[in-house]
Amino acid sequence: MKKISLLGATGSIGWQTFDILLANPNEFKLVAFSAGQNIEKSREIIKKLQPELVSMQTEEAAGTLQKEFPHISFTYGEKGLVEVATHPDSTVLINAVLGSVGLESTLAAIRMGKTIAIANKETLVTAGHLVMAEAKKYNAPILPVDSEHSAVFQSMNGENKKRIERIVLTASGGSFRDRTRDELVGVTVKDALNHPNWSMGAKITIDSATMMNKGLEVIEAHVLFDMPYDNIDVLLHRESIIHSMVEYEDTSVIAQLGTPDMRVPIQYALSYPDRLPLANGQRLNLAQIGQLHFKEVDFDRFRALKLAYDAGRMGGTILTAMNAANEAAVALFLQEKITFLEIEECIERIMNSHNNIALPDLATILHVDSETRKTVASMVK
Ligand code: NDP
Ligand code: MG
């Protein structure tokens, strides 16, 4: 039985993780979880899985639930995330919280040698070198949850990593994939949230529309698989059936396929190196699909992807600045305070004025992160 800590239990990934835990009571036991504001979903998880510790974003929310469940321990805020991540009984941390707020708790769990199943890509983008160095030092396996990286990981099973020629990340193109740049002027939040293939949290759905999501994933692949940026390609593939692939020196290409269902990579990260049956999983029927489409990516059309490659190649604090600018700008777009195209403009302006520091420590990263968010806020005022 694997004992689990889960960060971000009430989100899109967190809730699907809850589903997997419910379906496999003999395999997994939830010992601790964190949520943001969602009391209702937290209540349901508590009732069904009876964890020992729960952290809410605010003291007030924690207090409300404490009255209902006096036998369970409650905590809150950022220290609460660390307490959940480092719960002494868990051996696996699933990090499905949103944004760079997940960084310190991930590092704390790594230092306890826990296995980290990571969905929280912002953590790997903003501080990939720190996370991977600590993981190596403390012997903590880092397993990808992101579907593309899970596909790459599965396509590397049993292979000699030195024989890898390149990684190809597939991209659906997001909600605006069939529009030109001119047609992006004036698009609404509602349009942007309408993803063709995946149902996900709001922030990552907007990231998919700008393609910053694929940019973050290129950096995530560089960090997780230690692959140079010149050997990481992005390929447009509108059906999201091939989740990504790995090409080897002998020209063989190994890919992982399946119907788009995030429970597959989440469950694989939990069951690895084994596989478990997927409750109500939809089998892939290629004959019915008939055709798969592929197209080269246009970096002028998807400028955010180009910005991410640029930041990745530079390395250092520009990665933190880019990620924080994106998080702040997407939040402003969701509040309808800036337009869709201003998300990219904002990231570009932050990157152009950034004084890069190579190999930053944690304090520097946290400082750049918070300063960048302030700058973005002042740009809008
Ligand atoms: P959601 O927005 O759906 O969920 C985010 C979770 O984090 C919620 O539980 C939310 O709580 C909690 N949360 C948000 N802010 C804070 C905070 N400041 N402190 C504590 N908790 C907080 O996000 P997703 O599930 O879509 O994404 C989570 C991560 O997984 C992201 O890094 C994303 O890039 C990555 N990912 C997501 C995929 C998907 O299919 N959704 C696919 C691949 C990667 P509450 O709702 O209670 O307020
Ligand atoms: Mg992905």
Side-chain angles (χ1 to χ4, degrees), residues 137-283:
K137 184 168 163 195
Y138 291 92
N139 238 326
I142 310 277
L143 302 175
V145 168
D146 211 345
S147 58
E148 294 78 2
H149 305 76
S150 178
V152 168
F153 182 66
Q154 293 179 55
S155 302
M156 286 179 178
N157 269 344
E159 298 291 339
N160 180 354
K161 311 278 184 301
K162 293 200 183 85
R163 297 295 176 208
I164 295 172
E165 184 64 40
R166 61 186 184 131
I167 288 174
V168 181
L169 301 177
T170 51
S172 71
S175 8
F176 299 139
R177 61 192 183 187
D178 297 323
R179 297 192 193 209
T180 62
R181 274 195 83 80
D182 291 344
E183 288 166 349
L184 295 177
V185 176
V187 293
T188 65
V189 171
K190 194 167 163 257
D191 294 336
L193 285 176
N194 189 17
H195 194 285
N197 302 348
W198 300 94
S199 159
M200 310 182 284
K203 190 257 179 184
I204 186 174
T205 306
I206 303 303
D207 283 350
S208 300
T210 60
M211 274 276 221
M212 181 47 93
N213 181 52
K214 209 50 57 181
L216 300 177
E217 290 183 354
V218 166
I219 298 162
E220 188 184 5
H222 166 82
V223 169
L224 285 173
F225 306 117
D226 197 20
M227 184 63 47
Y229 284 96
D230 288 347
N231 304 63
I232 305 173
D233 291 351
V234 172
L235 179 68
L236 287 168
H237 165 45
R238 48 190 308 128
E239 291 86 5
S240 300
I241 296 294
I242 297 184
H243 298 309
S244 279
M245 31 198 162
V246 179
E247 184 185 318
Y248 291 86
E249 285 179 351
D250 67 354
T251 72
S252 290
V253 178
I254 302 184
Q256 187 255 346
L257 288 72
T259 48
D261 183 340
M262 275 313 294
R263 292 177 310 153
V264 176
I266 299 170
Q267 182 171 285
Y268 187 68
L270 290 177
S271 65
Y272 176 80
D274 201 358
R275 289 181 189 271
L276 293 169
L278 186 73
N280 307 314
Q282 201 193 330
R283 294 177 64 189

